Amino acid sequence: MRIVVVSAGLSSPSSTRLLADRLTAATLEHVGAETEVIELRELATEIAQHFVTGFPPARLAAALDAVAAADGLIAVTPVFAGSYSGLFKSFFDLIDKDSLTGKPVLLGATGGTARHSLVTEHALRPLFTYLRALVLPTAVYAASEDWGEEGLAQRIARAGAELARFTTPAAVPGQGTAPDVDTSAAIAPRSLTGAITSVDPADGFVTVPFEQRLAALRVP
């Protein structure tokens, strides 16, 4: 298993890289994996060349291949003008449109003030949703005053556990250590009207009225 970490920090050391390292450590507490860190500031020139020439230099090509081959991705950016940095966006503009399909992605961002705390939701999450990545529920934003606070540590721990969970191969029923649990009801699809449906392999989707589901839950 391999986890790739993309850090768009512009200084060394940087709070962006620090957050990326903390998220990586929190993930590795729950799953064994190889990790690779990509520092975008070291690839800034190559990224610009790729936009102009249409061909990635060797180091950039290796970074793009690493992201495409990863089992999970941690992506962290500093906040500029209320959004992700231009360097961060430029790198992911070069990613093949199918490279992140279904790939678990843990998002992180750093900024000088808590006013930008929703950047992970209004900027980062839509970007990776567009790329069809599996964006994890918990994204971590760290303002300057958050460092050393218990709340940030708790968010990092929760996010790392989520990435570990989604990058760990599911146990095969009857062969793995996990119990054989029928989860079909929990992930039942919805119809266009929002009604929960059940799946019949022969007939396709069958809509089950909400009233009927409620009746089935009544205690005799």
Side-chain angles (χ1 to χ4, degrees), residues 137-177:
T138 301
V140 180
Y141 174 80
S144 298
E145 63 266 27
D146 290 332
W147 294 103
E149 296 295 328
E150 183 178 354
L152 176 60
Q154 291 175 343
R155 296 197 302 275
I156 290 173
R158 182 169 64 246
E162 288 177 359
L163 180 58
R165 175 186 176 189
F166 280 94
T167 54
T168 302
V172 177
Q175 299 180 18
T177 58

Side-chain angles (χ1 to χ4, degrees), residues 60-146:
L60 177 59
L64 295 173
D65 290 343
V67 170
D71 296 295
L73 181 66
I74 297 174
V76 187
T77 179
V79 174
F80 287 98
S83 187
Y84 38 65
S85 71
L87 181 60
F88 183 86
K89 179 60 162 60
S90 295
F91 178 77
F92 284 101
D93 279 345
L94 299 177
I95 293 287
D96 182 87
K97 63 181 181 64
D98 297 319
S99 292
L100 297 185
T101 300
K103 193 184 302 294
V105 178
L106 170 53
L107 302 177
T110 59
T113 172
R115 290 183 301 167
H116 298 304
S117 59
L118 290 179
V119 68
T120 56
E121 307 306 314
H122 71 68
L124 287 170
R125 195 175 296 274
L127 170 62
F128 286 92
T129 299
Y130 173 79
L131 293 171
R132 299 195 296 277
L134 177 61
V135 186
L136 299 184
T138 301
V140 180
Y141 174 80
S144 298
E145 63 266 27
D146 290 332

Side-chain angles (χ1 to χ4, degrees), residues 16-106:
T16 300
R17 175 60 187 271
L18 178 58
L19 178 58
D21 289 344
R22 294 280 180 86
L23 291 170
T24 302
T27 303
L28 296 180
E29 287 184 4
H30 301 278
V31 64
E34 296 181 0
T35 60
E36 178 179 350
V37 179
I38 299 172
E39 285 276 12
L40 295 188
R41 66 185 183 86
E42 298 176 356
L43 298 172
T45 301
E46 286 90 338
I47 291 172
Q49 289 175 347
H50 189 0
F51 276 109
V52 174
T53 65
F55 297 96
R59 286 200 309 167
L60 177 59
L64 295 173
D65 290 343
V67 170
D71 296 295
L73 181 66
I74 297 174
V76 187
T77 179
V79 174
F80 287 98
S83 187
Y84 38 65
S85 71
L87 181 60
F88 183 86
K89 179 60 162 60
S90 295
F91 178 77
F92 284 101
D93 279 345
L94 299 177
I95 293 287
D96 182 87
K97 63 181 181 64
D98 297 319
S99 292
L100 297 185
T101 300
K103 193 184 302 294
V105 178
L106 170 53

